[in-house]
């Protein structure tokens, strides 16, 4: 993002009819969006939300409260407009696209779905790398292609979400690898594990990290982390984040898994960080570690832990508010209001 | 609000296609709104935002960074659609009404303003009660009338905001009287006082509380607190909150001053608490004390300190999201999605 535009934005904010700084985070968000969009900051905001779906080989280890087929079932629910993210996208006028990068089913040519299947799920990362190098490259390219399509469709702000039973286990392993956190700190209850199943998940994450990175995760490259312990939808999200930043889109990330993908993107290309807005703070403990790693402060904190992009879409009206205040408020001079003593 | 309807809402939330409880606060908010609206919960949400304006005699003591005439000037800015709350109300489709309860100017018959002036400002509460009993009764009645009009206009959710140079001093004194807090804890920097002016404001608040309540604020009735150290806009807001709860409206309160009015309303009629939603956590330290007193958790926390109803309007899309999710999401059964193991 442009520091010059951010400074211009700060100066303009101080002329508006409000006590200095009194819009708090909305001022930071407006300045960030102006810095991202530069001369296009005043164009209408056009919003997209992208839900990337894939299955995970690690589900064989009993890491999720829900059975693997729920990934497939929830994709059908998205297409039928019945899921939480459908409701929020409709209410807040964001165009929703669902991308199959790796669901373990044959969707045939079902309409309404972006068919970009790389494989029928990732492999069991407890025993081998989650993806081959070729699968990783394909999944990254899916995200880049979809970012280009978003730009071509005139979108200026995108939310990045996902669906994939087992993918908090991948996000936890990525968190350990990138931040050096212990598995016990980075591993949460996912969709609702009981304490015993949670303990098992922690030991799976620990074993996965030990297998691929031994005692020295710090030496693993971000792409290697993604290949070994990521997932097809996480790789596609990382690809979309990288490309969207190059296209100067405002990128709203969602919860733990979406943020894990963004963390990989930032590890690969640090400048990407400035294009990211953290939509919310999820209940997953690893999410907090990743947000710290990324130096991002979430817009909302509503104890959500659903994924699908829901927390990102929910933050969009706040971001639109910040931009509208920036572009539409009167100045002290134009309104004839006296300044502070 | 109806406990029966809240339980029904909780049961319905658990059938929707999401892990149990995974929508976090949105589930609490949906259940609260259903409990307030009862059988009318599925009616479209129609939103109003009410900005009550008045001047304060205490400004003679130098408690504000801005001169007194800014109240008048900002009312004109509201009517010209240039203030922050105008922008947010327009963006989020809330009908904005501005009410003159006590601005120290003659607006004549300027259109677009609800002319309900009780007096040209409250009196200097350092020397006498802020209002007479008659003025207090009139201001409360203004709020009650406007609540009835909101219902007649079909509104279901209202935001309560204000404009009044000097009114954080009143809110601080009310906070001391209701919660027993020290003036130093309940008094903030308002629109932006420097440390020296802030120290003066703390001593003014201390002197005001001592004058009217001596060492025993706990003995003062809520109406007496309002009459002695309130303001005309604060009284009108308290009247609107009381009446709106009786009309079963969803009441979204804003920052420190709006919450002080709500606290008076709840002290008078405890059942009112269940109709309140705290839109945001403001930067004023006394706001936190009042939210604790009211046992309310704010929806947003964005370091805002502007008033005008801005934090309340900003929370409205989140509340609409909660209701839309509740009424529009598919169930596990309807969508054919497997449940948790």
């Amino acid at each position: 993002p442009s520091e010059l535009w951010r400074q211009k934005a700060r100066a303009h904010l101080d002329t508006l009819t409000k006590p200095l700084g009194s819009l708090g985070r909305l001022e930071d968000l407006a300045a960030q969006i102006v810095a991202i969009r530069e001369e296009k900051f005043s164009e209408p905001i056009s919003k997209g939300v992208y839900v990337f779906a894939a299955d995970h080989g690690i589900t064989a280890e009993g890491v999720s409260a829900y059975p693997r087929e729920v990934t497939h079932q929830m994709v059908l629910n998205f297409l039928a407009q019945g899921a939480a993210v459908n409701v929020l996208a409709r209410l807040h006028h964001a165009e929703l696209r669902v991308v199959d990068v790796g669901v373990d089913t044959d969707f045939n040519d079902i309409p309404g779905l972006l068919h970009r299947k790389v494989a029928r799920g990732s492999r069991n990362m407890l025993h081998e790398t989650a993806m081959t190098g070729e699968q990783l490259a394909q999944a990254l390219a899916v995200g880049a292609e979809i970012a280009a399509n978003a730009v071509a469709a005139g979108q200026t702000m995108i939310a990045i979400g996902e669906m994939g039973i087992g993918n908090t286990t991948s996000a936890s392993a990525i968190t350990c690898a990138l931040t050096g956190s212990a598995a016990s700190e980075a591993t949460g209850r996912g969709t609702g594990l009981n304490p015993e199943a949670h303990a098992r998940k922690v030991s799976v994450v620990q074993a996965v990290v030990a297998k691929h990175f031994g005692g020295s995760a710090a030496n693993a490259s971000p792409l290697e982390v993604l290949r070994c312990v990521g997932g097809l939808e996480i790789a596609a999200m990382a690809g979309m984040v990288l490309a969207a930043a190059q296209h100067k889109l405002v990128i709203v990330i969602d919860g733990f898994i979406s943020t894990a993908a963004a963390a990989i993107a930032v590890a690969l290309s640090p400048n990407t960080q400035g294009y990211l807005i953290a939509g919310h703070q999820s209940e997953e403990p690893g999410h907090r570690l990743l947000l710290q790693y990324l130096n991002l402060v979430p817009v909302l904190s509503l104890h959500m832990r659903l994924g699908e992009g829901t927390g990102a879409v929910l933050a969009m009206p706040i971001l639109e508010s910040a931009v509208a205040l920036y572009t539409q408020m009167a100045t002290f001079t134009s309104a004839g209001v006296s300044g502070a003593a």
Side-chain angles (χ1 to χ4, degrees), chain A:
Chain A
S2 159
E3 267 316 305
L4 184 69
W5 276 96
R6 195 190 302 268
Q7 285 167 26
K8 278 199 221 183
R10 286 286 178 198
H12 177 68
L13 284 161
D14 288 349
T15 68
L16 303 177
T17 49
K18 57 173 183 55
L20 274 184
S22 61
L23 286 171
R25 285 259 5 241
L26 296 179
E27 301 195 19
D28 304 333
L29 293 166
Q32 182 183 356
I33 292 170
V34 170
I36 292 172
R37 298 296 297 161
E38 304 183 0
E39 64 282 353
K40 296 183 179 172
F41 76 86
S42 61
E43 290 180 7
I45 295 173
S46 171
K47 309 187 294 292
V49 46
Y50 295 85
V51 181
F52 294 87
D55 275 304
H56 290 259
I58 197 69
T59 52
E61 307 301 327
V63 290
S64 177
Y66 285 81
R68 179 177 170 99
E69 60 262 28
V70 167
T71 307
H72 165 203
Q73 293 166 346
M74 282 300 296
V75 168
L76 298 180
N77 196 18
F78 296 140
L79 299 183
Q81 310 300 323
V85 72
N86 297 102
V87 174
L88 295 176
R90 200 156 57 224
L91 182 66
H92 300 300
H93 308 290
E95 182 84 20
L96 173 65
R97 306 308 298 268
V98 183
V99 191
D100 171 21
V101 214
V103 181
D104 185 14
T105 195
D106 188 347
F107 284 116
N108 298 311
D109 295 327
I110 191 169
L113 184 62
L114 293 175
H115 296 276
R116 299 292 188 279
K117 198 193 296 289
V118 172
R120 285 180 65 145
S122 57
R123 306 187 297 195
N124 185 340
M125 61 186 175
L126 191 59
H127 303 308
E128 53 188 329
T129 63
M131 287 170 269
T132 66
E134 189 183 350
Q135 288 172 340
L136 170 59
Q138 283 180 16
L140 286 165
V142 166
E145 176 219 338
I146 288 172
N149 292 349
V151 173
Q155 291 178 355
T156 59
M157 182 184 284
I158 57 167
I160 308 270
E162 46 52 53
M163 177 70 221
I165 296 300
N167 65 10
T168 55
T169 302
S170 256
S172 293
I174 290 171
T175 304
C176 292
L178 291 182
T179 71
S181 304
S184 57
E185 294 173 315
T187 307
R189 297 176 60 241
T191 47
L193 294 174
N194 61 38
E196 192 187 337
H198 176 239
R200 187 168 59 236
K201 182 177 172 185
V202 171
S203 67
V204 167
V205 171
Q206 201 158 33
V208 163
V209 173
K211 172 180 172 56
H212 295 287
F213 313 115
S216 57
N219 295 330
S221 77
L223 282 183
E224 194 58 9
V225 170
L226 192 49
R227 188 173 74 88
C228 292
V229 304
L232 293 159
E233 83 283 42
I234 297 177
M237 289 192 285
M240 186 164 192
V241 167
L242 284 168
Q246 289 182 326
H247 290 297
K248 300 184 177 178
L249 298 185
V250 178
I251 305 166
V252 191
I253 57 176
D254 185 36
F256 187 30
I257 301 115
S258 166
T259 304
I264 294 282
V266 171
L268 286 165
S269 171
N271 186 48
T272 302
Q273 192 270 358
Y275 296 84
L276 301 178
I277 293 173
H280 80 127
Q281 170 75 64
S282 100
E283 284 293 274
E284 276 287 314
H287 192 218
R288 195 175 298 275
L289 300 172
L290 287 178
L291 291 175
Q292 281 166 3
Y293 171 80
L294 286 169
N295 196 24
L296 293 175
V297 179
V299 175
L300 301 173
S301 187
L302 295 169
H303 305 290
M304 295 165 68
R305 51 180 171 82
L306 178 54
E308 301 179 3
T310 50
V313 178
L314 203 61
M316 283 179 155
I318 308 294
L319 307 181
E320 289 181 294
S321 299
V323 173
L325 289 161
Y326 182 85
T327 54
Q328 297 174 28
M329 274 181 74
T331 65
F332 279 97
T333 309
S334 73
V337 174
S338 307

